Amino acid sequence: MLFRSTTAPTASTSAPTTVPTTQPVDAATDAAIQKAVNSAPIGCDPLDTRSCLLPYPSNAYTKGDSATATGLRVQLPADGMPATVDGERIDPTEWNRNDGFSPNTPLLTHIADLDPVASHLPGWNAIGASLDPTSPIVLVDIATGDRIPLWAELDAHAANDSDRLLTIRPAISLPEGHTFAVGLRSLVDHAGAPIAPSDAFRVFRDNLTTTVEAIEVRRPAMNEAFDALAKAGVVRSDLPLAWSFTVASTQSISGRMLTIRDEGLLVLGEIAPAYTIATVRNTGDKDIPDSIARQVEGTFTVPNFLTGDGATGNRFHYASDSVDAQPSVNPEHPTLQAHFVCNISDATMKGTTPAHLVQYGHGLLGDDHEIDAGNVRDMSNEHNVVHCATKWAGMADEDVPNAAHTLAHMGDFPTLADRLQQGVLNQIFLGRLMTRKGGLADDKSFHRADGSSLVDTTHLDYDGNSQGGIMGLMLAAVSPDIERAVLGVPGMNYSLLLPRSVDFDTYEAIMKPAYPNDLDRTLIFGITQMLWDRGEGAGYVQHVTADPYEGTPAKTLLLDVAFGDHQVTPLSAFVEARTIGATIHQPITASGRGDLALAAWGLRPTAYPSKGSAVVVWDSGMEPMPIENLAPRNGDDSHEDPRADADVRAQKA
């Protein structure tokens, strides 16, 4: 169930809905606004002239389109997109296929000399304050009137105020296809003076007519935003800035993934994909991990929906140039071979009960042999589990060169987003290989010497850590076969994750020389989330535990969060948990252990015994995370601690 705030202002606190009397603006202001519009690239929004695309996201960067579910089409201006130090601008073509913005988007704007303390910005440790009647930042669902919980922060990565964006983070994934009004009020600078509106915003707020076409054509949408904010108790004259934006539809976000899944499975039917076993290692053989009795490696066949041979750097193959075209099988390379590895433990081999089948998802830019790790082998032996894995195509070891290239050429980001979706299709086919007739369970490698089966094919579950927790959320949403999933040190929304992760240090060293401006990099993370939604869990989170996609059962999830994680911020796991309606184990943390429990605002306590989705914070004594949007660096990293804990493994089982 999607978490929503239903707190509405009472009649006594509601702002008046009267519109100021229409008057013409003075000639000097009219001329100044026209000059601002003319001096910027065509299509830029004059509400925030610090950089084109600000404020972001905004329906100023859309156009009407009756062919889409939202009635809109994104229209990011080519000449206003961020550019490399060499002047190479991001090509917005793929972004402009969308019918709205990311449901996980940061809201970005530049406000010079903003004092966050005196302005009482609600931080991640005070999310509830964002719903107070006097909150300085208000986010309203225009259709329902619901206030959306959020937190706000100034970008701590920026070296100077001129590049430091105000970042507003919704505390849930925003409902797909809905339009939202954003209102900022009662903000002050470091001298205590109220933040003044720009001329372009003031003419909207005060209902001053202009001769500027770009202003007047937008006036109805701005008035709609003012009306929604007024109903939420926001006095129009108090606003130094407000705007509205529309979240993309379900079809726009997940339609490509569901197309390749459905077309691929339609051809496959209810049998296993073709496969080849290349290597079988048994106890005593070279390179077999300790406590593993048998390791089976091979390849399986998957339809290829990418250009070329489907290798790293390729994009979706489209049969037409239509903006609404869906990916199709590449006729020149209709299939690809995906690698798999399965481990059968000593305990399973020596036992008599068929093992539980679990797909395992590896970590950041890793590979499927992560199932050889000690904690995974311990899980296999302690709880009679057979793990099988394939690579997360798109973000596996073989994708490192393309990831590095993309960081310096963000216009090529579709190569990463598209291959991630192909990678999830590979995972779905692995699930069929593990459970369907003609698959691995029928092979003698998965039988004991007496011919009895080593595995139980009636149930398939998932376990993954780090990137495996992030991508596992997406797989759980679209898999027709997985029943339950454990997401270890999970999160979602890379635009939120990257600035708070030590893992990004290496990759920022590649990105920063290409995009040296701090503001540009923050903005790039924001716009990139529109495409990343297609290929990570954030774009699918609203359809995992409830409102599942057609032909897909709802799932039950367990989220194991590490206190003090240096790599995946718990903040992202809590956004995920609120969105899926998970409960949380309490006490969340021991007394005096920082503000992390405050970040879990809105999550109901787990009542035991529980069969529903839940989040558990595991505390191995590490330092709390910083308040700012920075990576934790003090003390040791707890990122791998939950999976190494026998109690965690028992709970998973």
Side-chain angles (χ1 to χ4, degrees):
M1 178 182 294
L2 184 68
F3 178 93
R4 294 275 190 89
S5 162
T6 56
T7 57
T10 64
S12 61
T13 61
S14 294
T17 58
T18 55
V19 178
T21 303
T22 302
Q23 299 180 53
V25 74
D26 63 272
T29 301
D30 190 82
I33 295 172
Q34 186 66 68
K35 181 179 179 181
V37 170
N38 293 343
S39 62
I42 295 174
C44 295
D45 187 351
L47 290 188
D48 183 345
T49 58
R50 174 61 186 84
S51 177
C52 193
L53 304 188
L54 295 177
Y56 179 86
S58 171
N59 280 350
Y61 299 109
T62 62
K63 62 181 179 179
D65 191 332
S66 61
T68 71
T70 64
L72 297 173
R73 183 82 66 181
V74 172
Q75 193 176 31
L76 299 178
D79 291 339
M81 297 293 282
T84 66
V85 70
D86 296 324
E88 176 190 319
R89 292 199 180 275
I90 295 173
D91 179 356
T93 300
E94 192 62 36
W95 282 261
N96 289 348
R97 289 177 179 265
N98 287 24
D99 65 6
F101 299 92
S102 168
N104 310 287
T105 187
L107 315 182
L108 304 171
T109 191
H110 181 262
I111 299 178
D113 198 32
L114 174 64
D115 187 331
V117 176
S119 298
H120 304 290
L121 296 186
W124 59 255
N125 55 357
I127 292 172
S130 71
L131 301 178
D132 289 348
T134 58
S135 173
I137 300 176
V138 177
L139 181 60
V140 181
D141 186 325
I142 290 179
T144 66
D146 289 345
R147 291 273 299 274
I148 304 299
L150 56 87
W151 76 90
E153 57 201 6
L154 290 175
D155 182 16
H157 293 266
N160 56 71
D161 184 68
S162 64
D163 293 329
R164 184 169 291 110
L165 292 180
L166 171 63
T167 302
I168 303 164
R169 295 278 182 188
I172 59 167
S173 184
L174 299 173
E176 295 163 341
H178 287 223
T179 298
F180 298 85
V182 191
L184 280 56
R185 59 178 172 175
S186 305
L187 304 180
V188 298
D189 62 21
H190 285 88
I195 298 295
S198 66
D199 285 341
F201 179 72
R202 184 168 58 86
V203 298
F204 286 126
R205 185 193 67 183
D206 298 347
N207 208 13
L208 305 175
T209 58
T210 73
T211 64
V212 183
E213 182 181 1
I215 293 293
E216 297 309 315
V217 73
R218 190 175 171 192
R219 193 175 292 275
M222 291 295 290
N223 283 334
E224 181 184 43
F226 290 136
D227 288 346
L229 291 166
K231 292 174 183 177
V234 179
V235 177
R236 182 167 174 159
S237 59
D238 288 346
L239 293 164
L241 183 61
W243 73 95
S244 62
F245 66 94
T246 298
V247 168
S249 67
T250 304
Q251 170 63 25
S252 184
I253 297 168
S254 54
R256 297 161 186 79
M257 180 67 239
L258 296 177
T259 293
I260 68 173
R261 179 199 71 172
D262 293 347
E263 291 191 8
L265 291 180
L266 180 64
V267 174
L268 180 63
E270 289 299 318
I271 62 172
Y275 71 97
T276 300
I277 291 180
T279 305
V280 178
R281 301 182 183 89
N282 290 291
T283 301
D285 289 348
K286 182 181 179 182
D287 296 330
I288 191 168
D290 292 343
S291 74
I292 296 300
R294 182 172 296 163
Q295 184 174 79
V296 182
E297 287 193 67
T299 58
F300 58 100
T301 302
V302 187
N304 175 30
F305 287 87
L306 300 173
T307 54
D309 60 0
T312 186
N314 284 297
R315 299 177 60 167
F316 272 143
H317 172 267
Y318 291 101
S320 81
D321 293 331
S322 168
V323 69
D324 290 318
Q326 295 297 311
S328 59
V329 170
N330 183 347
E332 296 183 0
H333 296 275
T335 63
L336 56 79
Q337 299 299 307
H339 183 265
F340 75 89
V341 57
C342 299
N343 281 346
I344 301 169
S345 70
D346 289 342
T348 294
M349 188 66 77
K350 294 173 182 176
T352 58
T353 303
H356 197 102
L357 281 173
V358 174
Q359 272 185 263
Y360 183 82
H362 65 74
L364 180 63
L365 296 167
D367 63 42
D368 43 9
H369 269 281
E370 191 173 301
I371 64 169
D372 296 344
N375 70 89
V376 186
R377 288 184 280 120
D378 288 343
M379 181 74 185
S380 296
N381 277 282
E382 293 164 0
H383 301 290
N384 193 26
V385 171
V386 165
H387 291 96
C388 294
T390 189
K391 293 183 179 182
W392 287 117
M395 290 189 74
D397 54 355
E398 62 206 29
D399 294 293
V400 170
N402 187 57
H405 166 82
T406 300
L407 286 165
H409 305 274
M410 291 300 291
D412 290 333
F413 189 82
T415 62
L416 190 151
D418 291 356
R419 194 164 132 85
L420 281 171
Q421 293 166 82
Q422 175 71 51
V424 171
L425 181 65
N426 298 354
Q427 296 280 356
I428 292 171
F429 269 59
L430 173 62
R432 289 290 165 99
L433 180 65
M434 295 169 68
T435 59
R436 291 304 196 267
K437 183 178 179 180
L440 296 177
D442 292 341
D443 190 272
K444 64 181 181 180
S445 302
F446 289 81
H447 295 166
R448 296 185 178 86
D450 62 5
S452 62
S453 179
L454 288 163
V455 295
D456 174 10
T457 60
T458 60
H459 298 284
L460 178 66
D461 293 315
Y462 175 85
D463 185 16
N465 288 286
S466 194
Q467 181 183 284
I470 297 166
M471 294 301 299
L473 177 65
M474 177 178 173
L475 176 60
V478 299
S479 169
D481 304 317
I482 290 170
E483 297 176 16
R484 300 166 75 83
V486 177
L487 308 180
V489 286
M492 64 176 210
N493 182 354
Y494 275 97
S495 71
L496 168 58
L497 290 165
L498 293 181
R500 286 180 150 92
S501 175
V502 295
D503 289 339
F504 192 61
D505 290 354
T506 300
Y507 304 101
E508 188 177 39
I510 300 170
M511 186 181 187
K512 196 168 184 177
Y515 300 95
N517 181 263
D518 296 323
L519 185 154
D520 282 349
R521 292 197 305 279
T522 298
L523 184 56
I524 287 169
F525 290 150
I527 64 174
T528 300
Q529 193 59 46
M530 287 174 62
L531 300 192
W532 224 324
D533 281 343
R534 303 176 186 177
E536 65 131 312
Y540 300 79
V541 65
Q542 298 181 39
H543 303 278
V544 185
T545 60
D547 190 24
Y549 300 112
E550 184 177 354
T552 315
K555 310 302 194 302
T556 304
L557 305 181
L558 173 63
L559 283 60
D560 285 322
V561 172
F563 185 102
D565 195 327
H566 288 195
Q567 299 178 53
V568 180
T569 176
L571 296 180
S572 62
F574 295 151
V575 174
E576 178 179 332
R578 275 186 287 270
T579 305
I580 66 174
T583 61
I584 190 166
H585 174 83
Q586 293 200 355
I588 299 171
T589 63
S591 177
R593 290 290 287 148
D595 291 338
L596 188 64
L598 299 175
W601 175 91
L603 294 175
R604 294 176 292 110
T606 303
Y608 294 102
S610 172
K611 295 184 178 179
S613 295
V615 56
V616 180
V617 177
W618 297 87
D619 186 352
S620 51
M622 303 307 175
E623 292 294 317
M625 64 185 177
I627 295 293
E628 302 85 359
N629 65 326
L630 300 172
R633 300 183 187 278
N634 294 333
D636 295 330
D637 184 5
S638 60
H639 186 65
E640 296 189 8
D641 290 353
R643 73 190 85 168
D645 192 318
D647 288 338
V648 174
R649 296 194 296 270
Q651 187 182 56
K652 284 200 270 190

